Amino acid sequence: MRARKTIQRLRDLLQTPRTVGELIDAGIPKASAYYDIKEMSKNGQISRIEGIDGKPRYVLTSTSLQPSKENLQLIMEKMNDNHEAVAEQALEDLDELSKVTLLDNEQIVRQIADEFLTKHNPTLLRIIRRQASRAKNTHDNEVLQQYLRCSPVVRKIVSDPKQDPGNRENALLFLQLMNDEKLVDLSFAIISKDDPALNDAKPTQFTIVIESICISAAKSEKWRRKLYELLTSNNNAIVTRAKRILSQSRQSTFNPNKWPYT
């Protein structure tokens, strides 16, 4: 909680350009000042300005909408408005804010997770994936724990061939980011079917990630046995896929950015 208060204090101070020394003088711990400035610069949250005295100053990157507690509370309230247009615009506001900063207010994070668990909305899934990535980069385990609650619903999206392909891919990448314990089982279940998302002629990131997971797992007896079983399928696409995964699992390395893996 102390770290979150420090970040919020930094944001307040960086409404106007300041040097690192000025931030420290204003009460920001020295270690936090240097680390957080570096991270916020990397994430595009702040800009560096060269002062005439030769000292760099930092200021919040200008955005049309600030992630203040008041703004976020309003957005979360309006996302459930009875008027569809109001709810849609509130969701777009949240989507935009999620691109520029980690939303780490405990109540807001819980609400975002709850909204997704209730609505299964693709935009909310995109938001939680983006926010989970930011939380992981900053080691914010409290935020990650809230989004972990979404995993069971996300698994269903990945496994459902009727879902929009882009939404399935986004869901898969979320599970991969979270090192989901069911990801290997899920991946093998998908390659065992005639799934429309697995297109060898024009493979998507979904296909490549699924097969990469299976290749890594295929070094174990359990999953190699499963691949042998798939070789007996009457579906040529499934057999071809199983052969490709078995072949790649024999290699010491493979390049998942190449297709086929050669």
Side-chain angles (χ1 to χ4, degrees):
M1 190 60 68
R2 183 202 63 75
R4 293 183 184 178
K5 288 181 178 178
T6 299
I7 289 290
Q8 187 56 56
R9 176 66 176 148
L10 260 178
R11 290 172 181 158
D12 293 341
L13 290 169
L14 291 173
Q15 296 288 340
T16 56
R18 295 178 189 270
T19 65
V20 173
E22 289 171 339
L23 293 171
I24 294 171
D25 291 342
I28 301 297
K30 185 176 180 179
S32 295
Y34 283 101
Y35 175 80
D36 291 329
I37 285 293
K38 179 182 177 182
E39 290 300 308
M40 292 170 78
S41 296
K42 188 192 302 182
N43 294 333
Q45 297 178 49
I46 58 175
S47 301
R48 173 175 167 144
I49 302 171
E50 297 298 335
I52 56 174
D53 57 0
K55 295 180 180 179
R57 286 171 168 76
Y58 301 89
V59 65
L60 280 178
T61 303
S62 178
T63 59
S64 56
L65 184 63
Q66 294 295 322
S68 66
K69 183 178 179 180
E70 292 76 18
N71 274 342
L72 285 167
Q73 287 176 337
L74 174 64
I75 288 168
M76 298 308 295
E77 174 191 333
K78 295 303 180 183
M79 277 172 54
N80 290 307
D81 196 275
N82 291 330
H83 293 83
E84 185 177 349
V86 175
E88 286 179 354
Q89 289 303 307
L91 184 58
E92 287 189 23
D93 281 345
L94 185 65
D95 190 26
E96 192 62 31
L97 284 177
S98 74
K99 296 175 184 177
V100 299
T101 189
L102 174 63
L103 308 175
D104 56 7
N105 178 280
E106 186 176 352
Q107 181 182 352
I108 297 298
V109 172
R110 189 186 303 111
Q111 282 184 267
I112 292 172
D114 288 344
E115 285 287 324
F116 172 74
L117 289 170
T118 301
K119 300 177 180 178
H120 305 178
N121 183 285
T123 301
L124 284 170
L125 175 57
R126 187 165 63 245
I127 289 169
I128 66 170
R129 178 195 157 202
R130 189 183 294 136
Q131 288 292 294
S133 178
R134 286 184 179 275
K136 198 164 188 178
N137 288 338
T138 56
H139 309 290
D140 196 324
N141 291 326
E142 291 181 36
V143 172
L144 286 171
Q145 286 302 315
Q146 285 296 328
Y147 292 135
L148 271 172
R149 296 193 294 120
C150 301
S151 295
V153 171
V154 178
R155 290 185 202 122
K156 290 180 181 179
I157 293 172
V158 172
S159 61
D160 184 359
K162 295 180 181 179
Q163 285 280 337
D164 174 79
N167 198 36
R168 289 184 78 190
E169 182 177 299
N170 205 28
L172 175 64
L173 294 175
F174 172 82
L175 294 179
Q176 187 182 38
L177 173 72
M178 305 299 267
N179 298 317
D180 187 74
E181 61 182 359
K182 301 290 186 182
L183 193 52
V184 174
D185 300 76
L186 191 57
S187 298
F188 271 88
I190 289 171
I191 67 164
S192 302
K193 302 173 185 174
D194 190 14
D195 194 303
L198 300 179
N199 187 343
D200 289 357
K202 191 177 181 182
T204 61
Q205 190 173 10
F206 184 90
T207 303
I208 293 171
V209 170
I210 287 288
E211 291 204 11
S212 297
I213 292 166
C214 293
I215 289 167
S216 296
K219 300 181 189 300
S220 73
E221 181 272 340
K222 174 184 176 180
W223 296 114
R224 205 162 197 82
R225 182 183 296 276
K226 177 63 177 178
L227 288 165
Y228 287 148
E229 290 175 5
L230 293 181
L231 293 176
T232 66
S233 170
N234 294 322
N235 186 306
N236 288 335
I238 292 175
V239 173
T240 300
R241 192 176 302 130
K243 285 181 178 179
R244 182 168 58 240
I245 292 169
L246 281 166
S247 174
Q248 286 302 313
S249 70
R250 298 185 195 109
Q251 310 302 316
S252 58
T253 60
F254 71 95
N255 186 350
N257 295 315
K258 281 187 164 185
W259 187 269
Y261 300 122
T262 57

